[in-house]
């Protein structure tokens, strides 16, 4: 495993297993794998407060796991290229968490 992949593995592990928001972030990444969404669509889909959803999206974007296009309420989120290329790593970590 390259150094880059290893650091991504630690980052993903921390963001989805090491924090309270992990289960929500897992759902966000799974949804984005299939279809880009905006914060309002996520809040509705996951029955969550809009401001809480924005927080999770900001954390994921700040850590370069997702990217956004557009502005204000029209901002749409996508998986980042790094996340697309390493989606199997995400699934591996997610499956380990599920077994605990």
């Amino acid at each position: 495993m390259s150094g880059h992949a290893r650091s991504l593995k630690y980052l993903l592990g921390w963001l989805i297993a090491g924090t309270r928001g992990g289960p929500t972030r897992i759902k966000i990444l799974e949804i984005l794998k299939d279809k880009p969404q905006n914060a309002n669509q996520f809040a509705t889909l996951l029955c969550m407060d809009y401001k809480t959803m924005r927080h999770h999206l900001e954390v994921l974007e700040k850590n370069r796991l997702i990217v956004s296009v557009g502005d204000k309420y029209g901002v749409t989120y996508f998986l980042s290229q790094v996340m697309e290329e390493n989606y199997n790593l995400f699934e591996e970590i997610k499956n380990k968490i599920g077994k605990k």
Side-chain angles (χ1 to χ4, degrees):
M1 186 179 290
S2 72
H4 181 71
R6 194 174 303 113
S7 61
L8 180 65
K9 187 174 184 174
Y10 289 131
L11 175 66
L12 276 169
W14 177 73
L15 285 173
I16 67 176
T19 62
R20 244 186 7 195
T24 299
R25 294 182 191 140
I26 287 171
K27 288 177 191 152
I28 289 170
L29 294 170
E30 288 175 331
I31 291 166
L32 286 180
K33 178 76 173 145
D34 294 327
K35 183 179 174 203
Q37 302 281 335
N38 66 36
N40 199 43
Q41 289 169 312
F42 273 120
T44 303
L45 271 170
L46 300 176
C47 302
M48 287 182 76
D49 176 67
Y50 177 79
K51 283 175 89 168
T52 304
M53 184 51 62
R54 293 268 323 127
H55 165 75
H56 288 297
L57 292 166
E58 283 167 18
V59 168
L60 290 170
E61 188 168 25
K62 194 170 68 184
N63 287 286
R64 297 188 184 97
L65 299 180
I66 64 173
V67 293
S68 62
V69 175
D71 57 0
K72 300 204 171 145
Y73 293 107
V75 173
T76 301
Y77 295 90
F78 300 81
L79 290 181
S80 67
Q81 187 175 350
V82 168
M83 191 62 206
E84 286 269 0
E85 290 168 357
N86 294 280
Y87 196 81
N88 59 337
L89 189 62
F90 160 71
E91 289 193 311
E92 191 181 298
I93 294 166
K94 180 185 75 172
N95 291 338
K96 274 188 192 144
I97 298 165
K99 290 186 178 110
K100 284 182 181 168

